[in-house]
Amino acid sequence: MNEEQEELFGQYVAEFALEYDLKLNDDDIMKAIELFDECTDRWSSDSDASIYEIANDLGLKEDDEDIIEMISVVWKRIHTN
């Protein structure tokens, strides 16, 4: 992520968490960053992998559904601006 993306990432994650009343701890934030970065890497090379496939490859579980949904929204917001 470049500096601008980092700022937007933090802003959009905070907005999403507030809107959906999510309590994110440090581990959740690290999972979110890792998922965001992996999605960016894969999708920039035109991969057709779903975010759920990418999350599964990273070891995220059903307990992480909120993080997966959040990153889906955040990634789209950052990369469509």
Side-chain angles (χ1 to χ4, degrees), residues 2-49:
N2 63 38
E3 189 174 326
E4 181 182 347
Q5 286 178 331
E6 285 180 17
E7 288 178 27
L8 290 173
F9 179 85
Q11 176 186 338
Y12 294 158
V13 164
E15 289 172 3
F16 187 94
L18 183 61
E19 182 176 343
Y20 292 94
D21 196 31
L22 298 179
K23 307 294 185 231
L24 301 173
N25 61 35
D26 289 342
D27 288 339
D28 296 332
I29 298 297
M30 292 308 296
K31 289 177 185 178
I33 292 169
E34 184 177 20
L35 181 56
F36 180 89
D37 287 343
E38 187 64 22
C39 288
T40 299
D41 288 345
R42 290 202 199 177
W43 292 339
S44 68
S45 64
D46 294 327
S47 173
D48 61 354

Side-chain angles (χ1 to χ4, degrees), residues 31-73:
K31 289 177 185 178
I33 292 169
E34 184 177 20
L35 181 56
F36 180 89
D37 287 343
E38 187 64 22
C39 288
T40 299
D41 288 345
R42 290 202 199 177
W43 292 339
S44 68
S45 64
D46 294 327
S47 173
D48 61 354
S50 75
I51 192 166
Y52 292 99
E53 292 170 322
I54 296 169
N56 186 55
D57 290 348
L58 293 174
L60 276 70
K61 307 288 185 219
E62 286 183 25
D63 297 354
D64 300 313
E65 180 69 29
D66 290 337
I67 294 170
I68 296 167
E69 179 63 28
M70 176 180 63
I71 293 307
S72 177
V73 169

